[in-house]
Amino acid sequence: MKLFDASALLCLLRGEHGGDVVERELEGGGSCSAVNWSEVAQKVLGHGKDWQLARGLLLSYGLRIESVTRADAEIAAYAWRPGSGLSLADRLALATADRLDASVWTADQAWGSAGRVRQVR
């Protein structure tokens, strides 16, 4: 199973380096946490782009949106470290990936590449 964070999905939508990796990995389907989905929507809308078009493209790959559970929220809170570079959305993506036993795809270098983390570029 694969879970995509906002930075990976935005990489695809913006046609950035690594977007081809995201597209290839999405072809078999995947998931995104509801928090990261909201972040993608906010970034698309904030740049004056068509969210319905972006939404349709992402969902055309069979992307599923995963609810965040109470346990995910608590794990994300415990994972907070000053100066770690991981936002709340990042930590929720990691917690959701753990719950789903999924690899987590990101374009955010602050995540590193250990464990479940897969860098798209």
Side-chain angles (χ1 to χ4, degrees), residues 61-73:
Y61 288 99
L63 187 69
R64 290 186 330 270
I65 311 307
E66 292 288 335
S67 297
V68 174
T69 67
R70 178 182 49 82
D72 296 337

Side-chain angles (χ1 to χ4, degrees), residues 17-98:
H17 177 69
D20 57 330
V21 174
V22 176
E23 184 172 32
R24 182 183 68 235
E25 293 300 326
L26 268 173
E27 291 200 0
S31 299
C32 176
S33 81
V35 173
N36 280 256
W37 186 249
S38 179
E39 185 177 3
V40 172
Q42 180 263 309
K43 298 281 186 182
V44 169
L45 292 166
H47 283 91
K49 303 296 182 184
D50 184 343
W51 169 240
Q52 295 307 314
L53 181 63
R55 179 184 186 274
L57 174 67
L58 293 172
L59 293 177
S60 74
Y61 288 99
L63 187 69
R64 290 186 330 270
I65 311 307
E66 292 288 335
S67 297
V68 174
T69 67
R70 178 182 49 82
D72 296 337
E74 291 173 2
I75 289 167
Y78 280 110
W80 178 79
R81 300 287 179 272
S84 73
L86 296 178
S87 70
L88 176 58
D90 295 342
R91 290 179 280 121
L92 284 165
L94 290 165
T96 304
D98 282 345

